[in-house]
Amino acid sequence: MSIRKIFKKRISEFSDLSTNTIRVLAVEAIGAAKSGHPGIALGAAPIMYALFRNHLNVNPNEPYYFNRDRFILSAGHGSAMLYATMLISGYESITMDDLKKFRQLNSKCPGHPEGHVLPGVEVGTGPLGQGIAMGVGMAIAESKLANKFNKYGKFVSHNTYVLFGDGCLEEGVAQEAIAIAGRLKLNKLIMLYDSNRIQLDGKVTDSTNYDVKKMFKSCGWNYIKVSNANNTASVSSAISRAKVSSQPTVIECSTIIGYGSRLQNTNAVHGSPLNPEQIQELRDNLNYKIPPFTIHPSVEEDMAIVKKRGANSQRLFNLALQRLESKDINLYNQYIALSQNKFQFAWDWYNNYQVKLEVATRSLFSDVLQQALEHNDTFLAGAADLTASTLITHKKSIAITDKSKDGQNIYYGVREFAMACINNGITAHGGCKAITSTFLAFSDYCKNAIRLAAISHIPSINVFSHDTITVGEDGPTHQPIEQIPTLRLIPNHFVFRPANLAECEVAMSHAMNSNDSPTTVITSRGTFKQYPADVDDAKNGAYVIYPCAKHQINIIATGSEVAVAIEVAELLKQSKINARVISMSSIELFESQGANYKSSILDDKPTVSIEYASTAPWYKYADLPIGIDQFGKSGKPADVVDYFDLTPIKITDKITTWYQALK
C-alpha cells in the first residue's frame, strides 16, 4: 500500500473514531441523566466533526477571542452532542466530570446550551428557530464590524455557522430571518441542515411539503446538498465551497436520526434516552470499544488541530491588532472599547435639550436615542415596518444593504419575531448593539426572543410604542392591555415606561450600559403635559414627582398617566384629599434600590395606582389599582378613555368615594 493510501486510511480511521466518540459520549451522558435527545447526537455527529475538526476557527484555550468563528446550535436539544464535541476539541471550560453531570442541577452542561453557563457556547438555544435568526444577527454584526475596522487588512473576518433541523426550519421565525439574510447577502453565514426527515410526531412529510432547495434559493441563498452526511469528507468539502460563496449558504446534510441504534430512522429515538442494553448494542454496531466516558489518545491527536488552528488564527489577529494600533490609534482605541462592549453615553449630551410643553414619549425617546446613535456607529436601529410610527431610527444615517454597510438602520419588514431574535444575535456577537421597535400590542410576537435574551444575559434593547387604549381608532387589536404586565414578569429584564426627558435619559443610559440583561422601553403615541424631573431622582426607578407636605394618599403612575395622576391630585384638593404623585418609570429599577429608599417612597399611606393597562401587577403596591381589565374599543382616543371611566374627573370621583369609605 502506498504512503498516500496509508495516510488516507489513517485519516478515515480518525474520522470514524472521533465521530463515534461524539456519538457515544453524548448518548452515555444522556443515559446517565436518564433524559435527553440521542437521535440528533447519533445522526448529526459527522457534521459536528467535519466542522470543528476541519474548519471552525476557535481557540478552546480562550473561548472569547474576538475574531473567532461563531457556532450556534439552533437545534438546542442536541446539547449533549455539542458538549461532547467541545470536550474532544480541547475546550478547557468543560471536563468529563461536567459531561457526566449533564442535565443535573447547576451543571455546566444544562439540558439546552446556555452561553453564560459554559464558555464556548455562544448563545442560549432551545426554542426552535431562534438560533437561525440569532445567526443572522451575528453575521450582520460581523459585516458591520468588518466594514468599520478592516481599513488596513482583514482585521475582523470570521464566519457564523448554524446547525439546525427540521423543527427549526418549520418555525416561522426561521423563514423570516432567512429572507433577511438573503436580502443582505450575508455570505459569511453558513447553515448546516441536519435533514433526517423525522421529527417527534413522525415523518416530516406528515406535516411539511415545501421544497427546501427552492425556498432557500428564492431567498437568495447558495444551496449545497450532501447526500450522505456520514461521509465527513463530503460535509467538509461542502463547507469549503460555502466559505467562498458570495451568498449565505445552506448545506443540506442527509442524516439518519439515531444512527447505529436499533431505533435509527424512527421518531422513537428523538427524545428518549437509550437504556444500557441499547447503548451496548450501539457500541457493538459502531465497533466502538473505548471504555465509557473516555477519550482515546487517537481522538485527542486527531482533534488537536482545533487548538492549533485557533491559536494560529488568534496570533494573526494579534498581529493585525498591532498593525491597527500603529496605523490608527483612534480606531484601535475604539476596537478596545467595543471588544469589551463599552459603548458611549454621556448625560451632558442633553444639557441644552428643550422639551416641549406637551410631547409624546415616542418623540422624546427618539430624540434621546439620536445622541446615542451618533456617538456609537456600531449601534444599529430598526423597526418592523413601523419606523415612521415608532421613530426608532437614526435620522442622519442610511439603511444597511447588501451593497452598503455604512448605515446604522435595518429594515426588517413586518417580521417582529425575527427582528427581536436578530437583535439578540447582533448584541451577543459583541462590539455591536441593536435597538428594535414595533407597537406594544405586537410585543407578543417578540416576547419569546426577549425571554431568551433574559435567560442568556443578552443586553438587547426593544422599544414598543403606542402603549395604551389612547391609540384610539385602531381599536382593540392595537390597544395593549396585558402586554406591559407580561413584559414586567420576565426575570432579568428591565422595563421602562418614561414620562419625561429625565426618565428617557435614564432608560437610554441603562440600555447602553447593561451587560447582562435586556431592556424594554415603552413609549406613547399621544402627547401629554410634561412635568420635568431631576435625573438623579429618575435613576431610582420611582420618585415623588408631585410632592405634598401632608399627603394623605399616594398615587403611583407611569408614562403618560403621570400627567393624568397629577391632574387628579389637583382635583382631589377640592375634596380636601391631599395626594402626592409617584412616577414609577421602572419597577425593576425601583426594586433594586435599598429598603430605606423604597420605604421613603412607598410609605404607610393608602396608595392608588393609575396605569391604562391590566391592574393585576399593581396589587403589590396599591390598595386601589385603576386601569383596564378588558379589551379596548375603536373610537377617538378621548371617547375611548371616557368610555372606560379613565378621565381625570372620573378617576377623581372613584378615588374620593374609595378614600371616604376608608375613614
Side-chain angles (χ1 to χ4, degrees):
M1 185 180 293
S2 69
I3 293 177
R4 183 185 179 97
K5 287 184 178 179
I6 292 173
F7 178 74
K8 280 189 172 182
K9 184 174 185 295
R10 183 169 171 77
I11 290 294
S12 175
E13 289 171 351
F14 271 4
S15 169
D16 291 343
L17 181 58
S18 297
T19 299
N20 287 338
T21 298
I22 295 171
R23 285 172 166 143
V24 175
L25 283 177
V27 167
E28 287 175 341
I30 293 166
K34 295 182 171 57
S35 174
H37 299 76
I40 184 175
L42 294 172
I47 302 173
M48 295 292 283
Y49 171 79
L51 175 61
F52 276 71
R53 166 61 173 75
N54 299 325
H55 297 280
L56 197 67
N57 267 319
V58 292
N59 189 346
N61 292 339
E62 296 188 39
Y64 297 120
Y65 144 57
F66 192 78
N67 200 38
R68 68 191 180 277
D69 286 340
R70 270 60 169 181
F71 172 74
I72 298 173
L73 181 64
S74 186
H77 56 279
S79 58
M81 173 182 66
L82 174 59
Y83 304 145
T85 307
M86 291 174 65
L87 190 59
I88 71 169
S89 297
Y91 274 83
E92 296 183 355
S93 56
I94 184 173
T95 67
M96 190 64 77
D97 284 341
D98 293 325
L99 188 63
K100 290 177 181 178
K101 296 174 184 176
F102 173 63
R103 287 193 167 217
Q104 304 309 300
L105 187 64
N106 294 324
S107 169
K108 290 173 71 176
C109 298
H112 289 80
E114 297 182 42
H116 66 288
V117 172
L118 180 60
V121 173
E122 294 292 350
V123 290
T125 54
L128 296 179
Q130 289 198 48
I132 289 176
M134 285 191 284
V136 174
M138 287 196 164
I140 289 173
E142 189 278 341
S143 176
K144 182 65 180 176
L145 291 166
N147 182 72
K148 176 179 175 66
F149 287 108
N150 288 2
K151 187 176 179 180
Y152 306 103
K154 287 189 176 181
F155 178 65
V156 175
S157 181
H158 53 263
N159 295 310
T160 299
Y161 296 95
V162 179
L163 177 62
F164 71 95
D166 291 294
C168 289
L169 198 56
E170 288 169 352
E171 288 284 2
V173 64
Q175 298 187 32
E176 293 176 16
I178 287 164
I180 292 172
R183 177 175 59 82
L184 295 178
K185 293 186 179 179
L186 300 173
N187 65 305
K188 288 186 173 293
L189 175 61
I190 300 171
M191 300 211 305
L192 299 146
Y193 174 21
D194 171 29
S195 178
N196 59 39
R197 300 162 297 282
I198 298 291
Q199 55 192 101
L200 187 56
D201 280 350
K203 296 179 180 179
V204 170
T205 52
D206 291 341
S207 62
T208 304
N209 67 346
Y210 50 66
D211 187 309
V212 172
K213 179 179 180 179
K214 288 180 179 178
M215 185 190 76
F216 273 96
K217 290 187 78 66
S218 70
C219 289
W221 283 62
N222 175 35
Y223 172 90
I224 301 173
K225 178 68 177 287
V226 176
S227 58
N228 177 15
N230 281 326
N231 185 335
T232 56
S234 294
V235 176
S236 184
S237 175
I239 296 171
S240 294
R241 290 158 55 197
K243 285 156 71 173
V244 296
S245 173
S246 61
Q247 300 170 294
T249 296
V250 60
I251 303 172
E252 182 174 4
C253 302
S254 290
T255 61
I256 298 174
I257 189 171
Y259 178 80
S261 74
R262 70 172 68 170
L263 301 172
Q264 73 173 34
N265 212 28
T266 70
N267 60 329
V269 77
H270 170 83
S272 299
L274 302 182
N275 62 38
E277 178 187 345
Q278 291 169 331
I279 292 176
Q280 184 55 54
E281 186 179 54
L282 169 70
R283 285 170 154 271
D284 293 341
N285 291 340
L286 298 177
N287 193 29
Y288 189 82
K289 304 184 185 301
I290 314 303
F293 290 108
T294 302
I295 300 173
H296 193 276
S298 295
V299 174
E300 294 177 341
E301 181 184 348
D302 181 33
M303 298 300 289
I305 192 172
V306 179
K307 275 190 176 182
K308 183 177 180 181
R309 183 174 60 241
N312 185 59
S313 176
Q314 186 167 1
R315 180 184 64 81
L316 294 175
F317 178 74
N318 289 337
L319 290 174
L321 183 59
Q322 292 173 16
R323 183 166 61 249
L324 180 64
E325 183 180 18
S326 66
K327 295 280 189 180
D328 192 331
I329 189 63
N330 179 54
L331 197 59
Y332 169 82
N333 288 333
Q334 289 182 57
Y335 161 74
I336 295 299
L338 291 175
S339 67
Q340 298 169 358
N341 288 322
K342 293 180 179 178
F343 298 89
Q344 295 185 64
F345 180 85
W347 298 104
D348 61 11
W349 290 346
Y350 311 104
N351 285 350
N352 299 317
Y353 185 84
Q354 298 297 314
V355 181
K356 297 176 183 177
L357 182 61
E358 290 201 6
V359 67
T361 48
R362 63 170 172 170
S363 299
L364 199 54
F365 186 78
S366 177
D367 289 345
V368 169
L369 172 64
Q370 296 311 305
Q371 292 294 326
L373 290 167
E374 288 179 25
H375 286 86
N376 296 275
D377 60 5
T378 63
F379 186 20
L380 309 180
D385 199 44
L386 286 172
T387 299
S389 297
T390 65
L391 307 182
I392 299 304
T393 185
H394 190 339
K395 296 176 182 177
K396 296 180 181 178
S397 185
I398 59 174
I400 293 174
T401 69
D402 61 311
K403 296 180 176 63
S404 173
K405 311 299 180 185
D406 291 327
Q408 286 178 249
N409 296 320
I410 302 177
Y411 291 147
Y412 287 101
V414 188
R415 300 183 179 99
E416 294 91 349
F417 193 1
M419 173 185 70
C421 293
I422 290 170
N423 183 341
N424 289 346
I426 291 171
T427 306
H429 178 280
C432 288
K433 256 194 183 301
I435 184 167
T436 52
S437 61
T438 186
F439 291 168
L440 179 58
F442 305 152
S443 65
D444 293 323
Y445 287 122
C446 306
K447 211 162 290 173
N448 209 326
I450 297 172
R451 182 177 188 271
L452 190 56
I455 291 172
S456 304
H457 296 252
I458 299 172
S460 51
I461 313 168
N462 295 277
V463 175
F464 301 115
S465 71
H466 294 54
D467 59 349
T468 72
I469 56 170
T470 56
V471 171
E473 291 89 346
D474 277 329
T477 60
H478 284 54
Q479 295 171 6
I481 302 297
E482 75 282 12
Q483 281 75 17
I484 298 176
T486 54
L487 285 165
R488 287 178 178 143
L489 285 172
I490 300 173
N492 190 37
H493 175 221
F494 284 77
V495 179
F496 291 83
R497 190 171 180 232
N500 51 43
L501 176 63
E503 293 178 15
C504 285
E505 289 179 49
V506 168
M508 193 74 256
S509 171
H510 184 276
M512 294 304 293
N513 290 311
S514 176
N515 285 316
D516 62 1
S517 59
T519 301
T520 287
V521 183
I522 297 171
T523 63
S524 73
R525 175 203 186 196
T527 62
F528 59 93
K529 187 175 179 180
Q530 288 294 291
Y531 293 88
D534 190 278
V535 165
D536 288 335
D537 289 333
K539 285 178 181 178
N540 296 308
Y543 61 98
V544 177
I545 192 170
Y546 180 88
C548 180
K550 295 182 179 180
H551 69 285
Q552 296 161 286
I553 66 171
N554 296 307
I555 302 177
I556 304 173
T558 72
S560 53
E561 284 82 88
V562 169
V564 173
I566 292 174
E567 187 174 347
V568 168
E570 293 281 354
L571 290 169
L572 283 170
K573 290 178 182 178
Q574 299 173 16
S575 301
K576 304 202 181 302
I577 300 173
N578 296 326
R580 69 172 184 172
V581 177
I582 298 162
S583 179
M584 189 174 282
S585 63
S586 173
I587 291 175
E588 299 78 22
L589 196 56
F590 174 69
E591 288 292 346
S592 70
Q593 307 306 316
N596 289 340
Y597 179 79
K598 288 195 287 186
S599 63
S600 73
I601 299 299
L602 296 177
D603 54 23
D604 58 357
K605 298 293 193 296
T607 300
V608 177
S609 66
I610 302 174
E611 185 173 65
Y612 292 173
S614 170
T615 60
W618 288 108
Y619 285 95
K620 178 177 181 179
Y621 303 109
D623 304 292
L624 175 63
I626 294 175
I628 177 169
D629 293 310
Q630 58 184 295
F631 292 121
K633 290 281 187 179
S634 179
K636 295 185 183 305
D639 293 341
V640 174
V641 170
D642 182 63
Y643 177 86
F644 288 110
D645 297 332
L646 293 173
T647 63
I649 291 175
K650 290 185 176 180
I651 291 174
T652 300
D653 291 342
K654 188 179 297 185
I655 293 174
T656 300
T657 302
W658 164 79
Y659 183 70
Q660 289 173 347
L662 291 178
K663 292 183 177 181

